């Protein structure tokens, strides 16, 4: 196949269909030879997808022999090599975790304990890299760290501890290096005369580059490089000799490889005459991506470019206002490609973007072929197992219980219809009545009070869920695995008897079961751990697993990762997520070695990942038609465009003589078309807007018949009749009650209820002549007891107890200030409004009898007290209660005069707001109450939404009144509801 020993480094330009050109070159070189000659070729490729694509291309050309296709990343699987069986990576992971755990015990400030298994993963990757790059722990130990912080010195010392694991040579990098050496020795003893080719790899790893050297030393060995920049001048190649300044350039790996092979860029020849699809814009991109030290060459070489409008005619730039708009625009481009029968691919490292695009395509009935799959942790089985692992370490709150019960795998081996019905009823009960942290006893009590057949047995089957919580004692890893599997299978099966339901079924279930089995096989390498440690370990491993489920996807719509750009054969390529931090992705922080230490040790720099991403970008942008997309904003802030897109735009704008600004404007205009289309797709058409169902709702003022209106209301509802009458309509006429949130939390309402109960019991049980010290001790004991009984959250209990004791002296002073004797404490009173068939009820916090025989009404506030102005306008609770008390609403008091009302603020900003009452003021408030009730007894008066409530505070019935479709400047529209008799 090759006549000379030199000139056997070949390449293909960016943008060409690399697998197709590779096969075409093979066939051209073997033309005229026997059919069996192809079978004698050994071809090493870099990815399984490349391997598959080459097979497909050969198959499309008819029946023929294939070359021996092997993966360069799996040299250790060569059947000619007698390598020992590889040790489980999990075992090494657990061994490293044990070592790191010891390090953190000795140096707890190095990292939190929860990071043990993440650190073990990163250390495993570092050891693999050290083995692959032939850098020993001793070499790292010899680094001078005198100018570095203590953190790096401790990390350097720790790497010496893991030297035995490095020496075992069980990592993937070590096996790859050993396999490459064994093949080199085998071929040196008996050089193969058949062609051996390496294609598609950039040689970025040292072991790969050395293997390429070995292959090139063979009689018929050759290397075919992907995406080689034939437009890059010699002066640029000569400047790319320093990794610290050039490793982020897309062609740096080729420069390093050529230096290793002692050849120049002119010695790299074209593998096949397949032309680049867009050579003109390849030249533009090549100039835009010049390394930073020589970008001044833009001024020299830029004017030599031709008219940029034809060169960018097939480039489209979409700069979307948001990530959602970007995803929808990409989906529309892909939909158009599917309709036209064009093969199109979205290439992006942003998995969030690819998931959004997949969701957007679903509305068109298109399922793309996503090569990346999804994390096992996001599958149904993965989520279920994460929930059951958390059962053993976290209190079971009502929201977590319902999340588990509603999971599609729960009770998948039993009668699921009944299970879902019981779960729904339980949810309504827990939302209304709690408790925040249900246990099996409360569940059993609830079940026994229900009349549903089978509900008691259903509750009994859930005992394992409530009993799953583990203690904090360290146990053997296998014990944790067994307990985790046991509770998971019980819940998945449901009911009595053995089984696991659908838990281990399907691709996700099989993968999850395999992971647990492998973890159990490697458990002997782990030290005893707590249930929390096991949870961190399991979730780390689950997140590292990728799941590729079989699905019937669209054959022409593809989603690829960036490395797939090397395997492209698409008419249209979309490069999505072109923002800094996404493409290129910010280098992951290395907890073991910093950048300078890596460079000194001979390890790969973080910039390597940026350089590889730059090469993938250069490959992909060379496609026949390209769409470049980015979002101007993410969820938090404005974004920064990718450095490559920025360079491309800046270079284009700086070439007016080549019509660069006009070319950029045309690229943006083409992108604006898709953005406008994406914006319109969610907007109704003019015909739809005219439909009554799509008209904005008016500000409602429902007018129910008199017979449907309430004849009794609490005094607290009077404020709503003044400010927001719709609240009274929704709650007391329609009977709508807001359900408690799924996730319980300690809020101000809970605090107020508990504090009122504490003060009620404190006042009722007060002994005579109690000293302030005794009162304080009694208040503290009583508050501790009430908070423990009624508040399920320890942090809130401690905080509220501290706040209450902080204001205790203020409360004692106010308690004694007027010399009153408590007469009514949280007792209900009823008041018949004169001349009206209407009753107002009230349950005041406290009514004291003063020494002069008059009454003092007191209301406790755990928040702010209402101002005098607010009391005069709408905060009428105590004023109306005073009217009720003076008119005999409280049977035990009679009808004495009311002397004053007081609001006591028991928050940190203590305040007492007192109002002296006169007969004239009480008479005026009685008339106000009568007028207010009379108005809403009129058949023509409606319950207007937010009648006088102009605050930004949300009402619990805003969604019912459709607030937002109207505002408070709109006039309320009376709406007749109900039947008139």
């Amino acid at each position: 196949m090759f006549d000379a020993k030199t000139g056997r480094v070949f390449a293909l330009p960016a943008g060409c269909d690399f697998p197709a050109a590779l096969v075409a070159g093979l066939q051209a070189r073997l033309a005229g030879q026997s059919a069996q000659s192809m079978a004698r070729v050994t071809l090493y490729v870099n990815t399984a997808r490349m391997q598959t694509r080459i097979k497909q291309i050969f198959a499309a050309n008819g029946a023929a022999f294939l070359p021996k296709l092997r993966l360069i990343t799996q040299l250790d699987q060569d059947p000619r090599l007698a390598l020992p069986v590889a040790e489980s990576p999990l075992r090494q992971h657990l061994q490293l975790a044990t070592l790191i755990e010891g390090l953190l015990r000795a140096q707890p400030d190095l990292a939190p304990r929860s990071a043990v298994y993440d650190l073990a993963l990163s250390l495993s990757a570092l050891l693999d890299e050290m083995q692959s790059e032939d850098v020993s722990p001793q070499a790292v130990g010899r680094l001078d760290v005198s100018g570095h912080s203590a953190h790096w010195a401790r990390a350097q010392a720790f790497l010496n501890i893991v030297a035995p694991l490095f020496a075992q040579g069980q990592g993937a990098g070590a096996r790859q290096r050993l396999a490459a050496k064994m093949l080199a020795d085998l071929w040196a003893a008996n050089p193969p005369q058949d062609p051996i080719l390496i294609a598609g790899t950039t040689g970025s790893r040292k072991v790969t580059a050395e293997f390429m050297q070995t292959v090139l030393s063979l009689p018929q060995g050759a290397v075919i490089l992907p995406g080689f920049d034939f437009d890059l001048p010699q002066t640029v190649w000569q400047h790319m000799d320093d990794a610290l300044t050039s490793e982020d350039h897309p062609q740096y790996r080729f420069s390093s490889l050529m230096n290793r092979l002692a050849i120049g860029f002119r010695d790299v020849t074209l593998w096949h005459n397949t032309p680049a699809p867009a050579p003109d814009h390849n030249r533009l991109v090549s100039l835009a991506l010049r390394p930073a030290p020589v970008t001044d060459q833009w001024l020299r070489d830029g004017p030599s470019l031709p008219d940029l409008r034809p060169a960018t005619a097939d480039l489209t730039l979409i700069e979307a206002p948001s990530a959602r708009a970007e995803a929808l625009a990409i989906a529309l481009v892909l939909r158009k490609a599917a309709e036209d029968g064009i093969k199109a691919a979205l290439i992006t490292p942003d998995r969030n973007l690819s998931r959004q695009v997949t969701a957007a395509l679903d509305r068109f009935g298109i399922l793309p072929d996503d090569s990346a799959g999804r994390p096992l942790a996001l599958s149904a089985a993965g989520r279920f197992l994460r929930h059951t692992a958390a059962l053993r370490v976290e209190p079971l709150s009502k929201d977590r219980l319902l999340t588990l019960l509603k999971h599609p795998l729960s009770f998948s081996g039993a009668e699921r219809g009944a299970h879902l019905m019981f779960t729904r009823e339980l949810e309504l009960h827990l939302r209304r009545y709690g408790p925040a942290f249900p246990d099996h006893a409360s569940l059993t009590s609830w079940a026994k009070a229900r009349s549903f057949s089978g509900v008691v047995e259903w509750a009994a089957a859930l005992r394992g869920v409530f009993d799953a919580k583990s203690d904090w004692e360290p146990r053997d890893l296998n014990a944790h695995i067994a307990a985790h599997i046991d509770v998971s299978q019980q819940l998945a099966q449901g009911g009595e008897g053995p089984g696991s339901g659908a838990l281990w079924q399907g691709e996700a279930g099989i993968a999850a079961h395999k992971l647990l089995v492998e973890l159990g096989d490697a458990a002997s390498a782990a030290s005893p751990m707590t249930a929390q440690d096991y949870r961190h370990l399991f979730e780390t491993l689950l997140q590292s697993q990728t799941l590729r489920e079989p699905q019937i996807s669209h054959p022409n719509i593809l989603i690829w990762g960036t490395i797939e750009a090397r395997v492209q054969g698409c008419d249209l390529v979309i490069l999505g997520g072109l923002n800094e931090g996404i493409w290129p992705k910010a280098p992951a922080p290395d907890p073991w070695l910093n950048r300078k230490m890596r460079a000194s040790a001979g390890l790969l720099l973080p910039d390597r990942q940026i350089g590889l991403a730059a090469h993938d970008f250069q490959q992909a942008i060379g496609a026949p038609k390209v769409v470049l997309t980015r979002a101007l904003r993410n969820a938090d802030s404005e974004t920064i465009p990718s450095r490559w897109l920025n360079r491309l735009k800046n270079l284009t704008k700086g070439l007016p003589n080549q019509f660069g600004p006009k070319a950029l404007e045309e690229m943006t205009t083409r992108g604006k078309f898709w953005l406008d289309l994406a914006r319109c797709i969610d907007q109704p058409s003019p015909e739809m807007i005219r439909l009554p169902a799509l008209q904005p709702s008016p500000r409602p003022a429902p007018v129910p018949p008199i017979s449907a209106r309430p004849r009794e209301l609490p005094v607290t509802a009077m404020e709503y009749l003044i400010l927001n009458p719709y609240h009274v309509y929704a709650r007391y006429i329609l009977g709508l009650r807001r359900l408690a949130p799924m996730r319980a939390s300690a809020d101000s309402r809970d605090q107020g209820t508990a504090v009122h109960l504490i003060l009620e019991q404190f006042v009722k049980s007060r002994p005579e002549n109690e000293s302030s010290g005794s009162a304080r001790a009694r208040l503290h004991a009583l508050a501790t007891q009430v908070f423990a009984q009624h508040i399920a959250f320890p942090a809130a209990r401690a905080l509220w107890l501290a706040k209450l004791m902080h204001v205790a002296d203020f409360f004692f002073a106010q308690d004694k200030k007027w010399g009153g004797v408590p007469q009514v404490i949280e007792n209900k009173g009823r008041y018949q409004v004169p001349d009206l068939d209407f009753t107002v009820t009230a349950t005041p916090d406290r009514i004291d009898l003063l020494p002069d025989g008059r009454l003092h009404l007191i209301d406790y506030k755990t928040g702010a007290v209402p101002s005098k102005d607010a009391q005069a306008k709408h905060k009428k609770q105590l004023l109306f209660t005073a009217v009720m008390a003076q008119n005999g609403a409280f049977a035990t008091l009679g009808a004495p005069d009311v002397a004053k009302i007081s609001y006591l603020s028991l928050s940190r900003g203590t305040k007492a707001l007192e109002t002296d009452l006169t007969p004239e003021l009480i008479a005026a408030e009685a008339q106000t109450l009568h007028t207010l009730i009379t108005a809403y007894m009129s058949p023509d008066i409606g319950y207007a939404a937010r009648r006088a409530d102009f605050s930004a505070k949300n009402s619990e019935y805003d969604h019912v009144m459709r607030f937002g479709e109207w505002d408070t400047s709109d006039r309320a529209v009376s709406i007749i509801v109900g039947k008139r008799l």
Side-chain angles (χ1 to χ4, degrees):
M1 182 181 289
F2 309 110
D3 297 331
K5 290 193 176 183
T6 58
R8 284 186 280 116
V9 177
F10 302 95
L12 287 166
C16 78
D17 187 342
F18 185 85
L22 174 65
V23 172
L26 267 175
Q27 292 173 334
R29 281 173 167 76
L30 295 176
Q33 299 187 30
S34 66
Q36 293 86 345
S37 59
M38 184 66 76
R40 289 196 292 269
V41 175
T42 300
L43 179 59
Y44 288 93
V45 295
N46 60 324
T47 63
R49 181 172 281 268
M50 176 85 78
Q51 194 178 42
T52 302
R53 180 87 200 289
I54 291 172
K55 290 178 182 178
Q56 292 172 345
I57 293 171
F58 272 107
N61 292 333
F65 287 102
L66 292 176
K68 292 186 281 289
L69 289 169
R70 292 175 181 162
L71 290 178
I72 197 169
T73 55
Q74 296 177 357
L75 297 179
D76 59 326
Q77 296 185 12
D78 194 309
R80 295 169 294 179
L81 307 179
L83 286 171
V85 177
E87 188 180 71
S88 165
L90 268 178
R91 177 173 290 276
Q92 184 185 49
H93 182 88
L94 294 174
Q95 290 172 331
L96 291 172
T98 301
L99 291 172
I100 293 171
E101 187 178 357
L103 172 67
L104 295 186
R105 277 198 300 268
Q107 303 177 25
D109 61 322
L110 194 63
R113 182 177 172 79
S114 60
V116 165
Y117 302 104
D118 290 320
L119 286 172
L121 273 182
S122 67
L123 183 56
S124 178
L126 175 60
L127 285 180
D128 178 55
E129 182 185 340
M130 290 169 65
Q131 291 167 337
S132 178
E133 300 300 312
D134 198 21
V135 176
S136 68
Q138 291 75 22
V140 176
R142 288 192 295 268
L143 295 177
D144 180 12
V145 294
S146 57
H148 298 285
S149 67
H151 167 84
W152 300 113
R154 286 180 295 180
Q156 180 193 42
F158 179 72
L159 288 177
N160 288 326
I161 299 175
V162 301
L165 288 177
F166 178 89
Q168 290 175 10
Q170 282 295 329
R175 290 179 63 83
Q176 182 82 342
R177 176 167 290 281
L178 179 59
K181 184 178 184 306
M182 293 176 70
L183 281 173
D185 293 341
L186 184 66
W187 289 338
N190 185 18
Q193 301 303 311
D194 294 328
I196 297 180
L197 313 178
I198 297 177
T201 182
T202 60
S204 60
R205 286 291 183 101
K206 184 177 180 181
V207 63
T208 305
E210 289 176 349
F211 184 66
M212 295 165 82
Q213 280 183 287
T214 300
V215 168
L216 286 171
S217 68
L218 300 177
Q220 289 293 302
V223 169
I224 303 99
L225 303 175
F228 190 84
D229 191 349
F230 289 98
D231 297 313
L232 210 58
Q234 182 175 357
T235 54
V236 178
W237 287 110
Q238 290 173 343
H239 279 89
M240 283 195 293
D241 55 358
D242 184 5
L244 289 172
T245 59
S246 302
E247 189 156 10
D248 61 347
H249 188 269
Q251 300 293 309
Y252 172 78
R253 270 131 298 282
F254 296 149
S255 174
S256 177
L257 181 66
M258 288 186 294
N259 290 337
R260 178 183 291 274
L261 299 176
I263 61 174
F265 83 101
R266 298 186 189 280
D267 297 319
V268 180
T269 55
L270 199 62
W271 169 252
H272 188 254
N273 58 7
T274 302
D280 287 341
H281 85 235
N282 272 3
R283 288 181 61 197
L284 174 65
V285 171
S286 173
L287 181 57
L289 298 185
R290 293 273 175 94
V294 293
T295 47
D296 60 303
Q297 294 175 7
W298 286 6
L299 298 174
R300 186 192 68 199
D301 297 345
S304 65
L305 292 174
D307 185 345
L308 294 181
R309 289 174 296 178
T312 59
D314 291 323
L315 285 176
T316 299
L317 176 60
I318 296 176
E319 294 189 292
S322 66
R324 184 182 183 277
E326 179 187 11
L328 190 52
I330 292 172
L332 290 170
V333 174
L334 292 174
R335 179 193 175 183
K336 176 63 174 172
E339 289 178 352
D340 295 344
I342 295 173
K343 191 172 184 180
L346 165 63
I347 300 176
T348 179
D350 186 357
R351 294 304 300 157
N352 287 329
L353 176 62
S354 62
R355 280 192 282 267
Q356 285 181 297
V357 171
T358 300
L361 285 171
D362 185 59
R363 72 194 299 174
F364 310 128
I366 297 174
L367 179 63
D369 180 6
D370 191 343
S371 67
R374 59 173 173 161
L376 180 57
L378 297 183
S379 67
R383 291 178 188 273
F384 184 80
L385 290 169
R386 283 161 55 202
H387 291 318
T388 54
L391 274 178
R392 306 185 62 239
V393 294
E394 292 183 1
L396 185 59
S397 59
K398 64 181 181 181
D399 61 299
R400 292 182 53 243
L401 172 62
L402 292 169
T403 298
L404 261 177
L405 296 180
K406 291 181 178 183
H407 194 283
L409 290 177
S410 293
F411 277 71
S412 54
E415 177 51 52
R416 185 156 170 82
H419 164 74
L420 292 177
M421 182 185 72
F422 298 153
T423 300
R424 177 185 176 278
E425 294 298 323
L426 177 63
E427 177 181 354
L428 292 175
H429 175 81
L430 291 176
R431 279 180 178 270
R432 290 191 179 108
Y433 309 110
F437 295 93
D439 55 19
H440 193 253
S442 63
L443 179 64
T444 302
S445 295
W446 169 82
K448 289 180 177 178
R450 304 273 120 20
S451 59
F452 307 123
S453 174
V455 67
V456 175
E457 292 77 11
W458 176 78
L462 291 174
R463 174 176 288 279
V465 171
F466 295 95
D467 294 344
K469 197 168 188 309
S470 173
D471 55 32
W472 290 95
E473 290 298 318
R475 303 189 188 283
D476 183 74
L477 175 55
N478 272 320
H480 289 297
I481 295 172
H484 186 196
I485 291 176
D486 185 50
V487 68
S488 301
Q489 291 187 159
Q490 282 184 32
L491 183 58
Q493 173 63 21
E496 299 294 332
S500 56
L503 176 58
W504 310 124
Q505 296 177 12
E507 296 292 325
I510 293 171
H513 187 265
K514 180 183 178 185
L515 174 62
L516 284 167
V517 170
E518 291 177 351
L519 186 58
D521 292 340
S524 60
S527 59
M529 62 182 66
T530 64
Q532 181 75 308
D533 294 333
Y534 169 76
R535 178 191 180 187
H536 288 313
L537 168 64
F538 179 73
E539 290 186 347
T540 299
L541 296 177
L542 204 64
Q543 191 66 39
S544 66
Q545 301 283 316
T546 300
L547 182 68
R548 292 180 176 85
E549 297 172 295
Q551 54 188 6
I552 303 175
S553 54
H554 197 289
N556 287 337
I557 305 301
L558 310 141
I559 295 179
W560 289 342
T562 53
I563 198 171
E564 311 295 345
R566 307 176 195 177
V567 198
Q568 66 174 301
C570 290
D571 305 307
L572 170 66
V573 168
I574 303 169
L575 307 185
L578 285 171
N579 283 325
E580 284 293 307
I582 296 177
W583 199 1
K585 184 178 180 181
D590 187 341
W592 307 107
L593 298 172
N594 63 21
R595 192 170 186 268
K596 188 173 186 304
M597 292 170 69
R598 279 181 160 272
S600 300
L603 291 169
L604 301 170
L605 296 180
D607 298 350
R608 167 182 173 269
Q609 295 299 331
I610 296 177
L612 288 173
H615 182 255
D616 295 335
F617 172 82
Q618 188 175 24
Q619 280 263 85
I621 201 174
K625 289 184 179 293
V626 179
V627 179
L628 308 171
T629 78
R630 62 176 292 256
L632 297 175
R633 288 187 63 87
N634 58 22
D636 302 317
S637 60
E638 290 186 4
T639 59
I640 300 173
S642 167
R643 63 193 68 184
W644 310 312
L645 180 59
N646 224 5
R647 286 185 177 191
L648 184 61
K649 290 172 65 177
N650 289 339
L651 175 61
T652 306
K653 282 190 271 189
L655 296 172
N657 294 335
Q658 285 70 38
F659 300 97
K662 181 63 176 175
L664 182 60
E665 180 186 346
E666 291 174 356
M667 289 167 56
T668 306
T669 301
R670 289 190 288 271
K672 187 175 181 298
F673 167 80
W674 295 107
L675 287 174
D676 291 341
L677 197 60
R679 191 179 305 112
C680 292
I681 198 169
D682 286 333
Q683 294 179 350
S685 65
E687 293 77 14
M688 292 179 65
I689 291 175
R690 287 193 289 269
L691 294 175
L694 293 183
Q695 297 302 309
S697 173
R699 182 178 185 178
V703 185
I706 293 296
S707 59
R709 302 192 185 199
R711 291 294 184 269
E712 180 179 307
L713 284 175
V715 72
T716 51
M718 298 302 110
E719 179 182 347
Y720 291 111
L721 279 181
I722 297 170
L723 294 182
N724 187 10
Y726 192 95
H727 180 103
V728 176
Y729 169 74
R731 179 161 187 174
Y732 298 101
I733 298 178
L734 298 183
L736 301 179
R737 297 288 191 276
R738 182 176 64 179
L739 291 175
M742 181 77 81
R743 171 163 292 185
S745 61
D747 57 19
S748 58
R749 183 178 302 181
D750 296 326
Q751 181 188 10
T753 302
V755 169
H756 278 72
L757 181 58
I758 292 167
L759 297 183
E760 176 189 351
Q761 295 183 14
F762 176 82
V763 173
K764 283 182 176 179
S765 62
R766 179 168 52 195
E768 294 184 7
N769 302 320
E770 185 180 33
S771 67
S772 61
S774 299
R776 189 175 186 86
R778 189 166 60 87
L779 179 64
H780 186 279
L782 187 59
T784 302
Q785 178 185 353
V786 171
F787 281 141
Q789 290 175 347
H790 297 276
I791 306 300
F793 303 93
R797 291 200 296 260
L799 177 63
W800 294 344
L801 177 61
K803 285 185 174 181
L804 181 60
M805 297 314 297
H806 177 75
V807 301
D809 292 337
F810 166 78
F811 171 71
F812 296 151
Q814 292 297 320
D815 191 37
K816 297 176 180 178
K817 183 176 181 180
W818 300 105
V821 178
Q823 301 293 312
V824 172
I825 302 173
E826 299 287 350
N827 290 342
K828 191 172 185 178
R830 301 175 62 83
Y831 171 61
Q832 179 76 35
V833 181
D835 304 325
L836 295 176
D837 181 18
F838 196 91
T839 301
V840 179
T841 64
T843 307
D845 292 344
R846 177 173 166 182
I847 301 179
D848 284 4
L849 182 63
L850 299 176
D852 63 2
R854 295 187 297 169
L855 300 180
H856 180 196
L857 276 63
I858 302 173
D859 190 66
Y860 305 129
K861 293 291 184 186
T862 52
V865 299
S867 66
K868 293 279 189 181
D869 185 57
Q871 292 181 56
K873 293 179 179 178
H874 58 88
K875 291 285 186 181
K876 300 287 188 178
Q877 178 182 348
L878 272 191
L879 289 170
F880 285 170
T881 305
V883 172
M884 295 172 61
Q886 191 152 311
N887 286 276
F890 300 94
T892 59
L893 294 179
D897 291 341
V898 180
K900 62 175 71 258
I901 60 173
S902 295
Y903 286 99
L904 299 185
S905 173
L906 300 179
S907 63
R908 283 195 173 272
T910 54
K911 183 179 181 181
L913 186 62
E914 299 167 345
T915 303
D916 292 324
L917 302 184
T918 64
E920 294 77 17
L921 178 59
I922 292 180
E925 293 299 333
Q927 182 59 46
T928 300
L929 176 62
H930 189 279
T931 303
L932 182 64
I933 300 302
T934 301
Y936 286 96
M937 295 294 285
S938 169
D940 299 325
I941 297 296
Y943 294 82
R946 286 182 172 258
R947 173 182 172 274
D949 186 358
F950 305 108
S951 67
K953 184 180 178 181
N954 292 333
S955 160
E956 59 186 281
Y957 297 109
D958 277 350
H959 63 297
V960 181
M961 64 178 76
R962 300 179 76 169
F963 181 56
E965 296 183 33
W966 51 269
D967 60 41
T968 51
S969 65
D970 294 343
R971 185 178 296 275
V973 176
S974 296
I975 302 172
I976 305 298
V977 294
K979 294 182 179 180
R980 268 44 180 181
L981 298 179

